[in-house]
Each structure stands twice: as C-alpha cells, then as structure tokens.
Amino acid sequence: MAEILKINDISVSYGSIRALSNVSMSVDEGAVVSLIGANGAGKSTLLKAIVGLEPLKNGSISFDGEVIAQTKHHGSLSTDLIARRGIALVPEGRHVFADMTVEENLDMGAFMVRDQELINKRKEEMYEFFPILGARKKQKTRSLSGGEQQMMAIARALMSSPRLLLLDEPGLGLAPLVVQDIFNKIRIINQENKVTVFLVEQNARLALRSSSYGYVLENGKIVLEDKGEALLMNERVQKAYLGA
C-alpha cells in the first residue's frame, strides 16, 4: 500500500520543553494505525501537529505526497487548508458545540461543503450509521451521554468526507461496552467506507488489536514500532501498557 501520511523527523516544543523529538513514522492508505503511550508522552501533540495546530521546530509532514507542515521558515498550510486536503481530527474530549443541536453540529462539520443537497445526503448517511443521532438530531448536544457525544464527534468529522481520520482517545471516559461499540464503528469506517484511520488510544490492548500497525511513543520519542499483533506480544509493551 502507498503511504498517505509521512512524518519525517519532526520536533515540537512548548517553550523550553521538548514535547516531540525527531519523530518519524508513516501511515499507509487504507490502514488502521495506532499510537500508544503514557499520559504526557506527546500523542495529542503529534495529532495537532499533523493538522497544523502545533508548529514544527524541525522536520516535515506530508499528506499524499504533498508537504503540509514544516518549520516556520519554510511555511506550512493552515489548518483549514489541511482539512480541505482530506484530513479530519476528532480531538480528545470531543469538543462538541454543547448548545447546538446534533444536526447543527453535523452542519459545522460540513463547513467546507457548498452543496446543500450533498450536506443533507451526508447527514442522512450519518443518521443511518449512528441511529441514536438520527433519533436525537433536534436535541441539544449537552443532553447526550458521553458515548453519544463521541459518536457525534466522529460523525461531524466524517461530514467532510476525509481520506484520513485522526482520532484522539476515542474511548476516553466511556464504559467498556460503549468503547467496544465505538471501535466497531471505527472498523466499519475503515473497511467499508475506505477511510484511513490513525488513532491515539490509552487502551493499548484494544488499539493494537484494532490496528494493522502500531507505534509506541515515550517521552516524545518513538521507541517501538511493529504490526499491531506483534506489539501485543512484545514483552516491553505487555509490562508497560497491558498489565502483564
């Protein structure tokens, strides 16, 4: 498979603190790739860097062969232009518009689309894919459960028809059965909708089981990478992340 995302030797700093240090990795088109690591390892920073929300100290990020982010001296695309290229981020904590209805949130996800007929079609597809959203489309988002809000955040991201979906802790704070349902939806999005998925998830076991390939990030550096099933069997991963 061809690479759709290429991260080449990037570093990101917050003042004197180095959040990412010379990170290189790639995501093949059509794959599900996971990034695991402890809190504070730099996982969310990496996703933000991909969509242009964190500037790079060095290195570059390419999407479908085009450089979308690099050091400020060489220029990077703005976040909205990166989104237009086909990348959507579901941030940690969902960040829904609580005082808007479900339908209005989905409309926000289609801000780049000018064809109202197409927007309506995509909303109906989301209601079919997430039936609970269809049943509650006129409700304020704040009235939804955490799992329902996570589904809505994913649906909102899918409204732009991305080629690459970035998911930051999709299972955070949710009950185990809800998390399993979310990951089942992720699998369908990948396999049936043909969307490449790059996910950050603290539930390392579930993330690696769901992924064809995985990376381990520690203190801002990639320390391991392998097929998802191989990382599940890795002694270092088992001790640090799987409770073995």
Side-chain angles (χ1 to χ4, degrees), residues 64-177:
D64 203 20
E66 176 190 8
V67 174
I68 58 173
Q70 52 192 331
T71 58
K72 62 181 179 180
H73 301 296
H74 295 90
S76 301
L77 296 182
S78 60
T79 298
D80 64 310
L81 289 179
I82 290 172
R84 290 180 187 278
R85 294 300 190 279
I87 302 178
L89 170 64
V90 179
E92 181 182 355
R94 300 178 282 278
H95 293 281
V96 297
F97 299 103
D99 289 322
M100 291 183 177
T101 65
V102 169
E103 185 171 24
E104 288 168 340
N105 268 268
L106 295 186
D107 285 333
M108 293 295 289
F111 75 97
M112 296 182 296
V113 184
R114 295 291 175 261
D115 185 338
Q116 188 60 49
E117 187 175 331
L118 179 57
I119 292 173
N120 293 339
K121 178 176 179 292
R122 288 181 183 172
K123 282 193 290 190
E124 290 305 317
E125 289 172 349
M126 290 303 103
Y127 297 147
E128 183 176 348
F129 190 54
F130 296 106
I132 191 64
L133 299 184
R136 302 189 178 182
K137 61 184 176 182
K138 298 299 182 182
Q139 286 185 218
K140 292 288 182 68
T141 302
R142 67 170 64 255
S143 69
L144 303 183
S145 69
E148 291 163 355
Q149 288 187 12
Q150 185 64 68
M151 292 178 187
M152 198 207 65
I154 294 173
R156 183 180 61 190
L158 292 175
M159 286 293 293
S160 64
S161 287
R163 293 177 59 201
L164 173 63
L165 182 64
L166 308 177
L167 296 165
D168 194 355
E169 301 285 4
L172 184 66
L174 303 180
L177 286 176

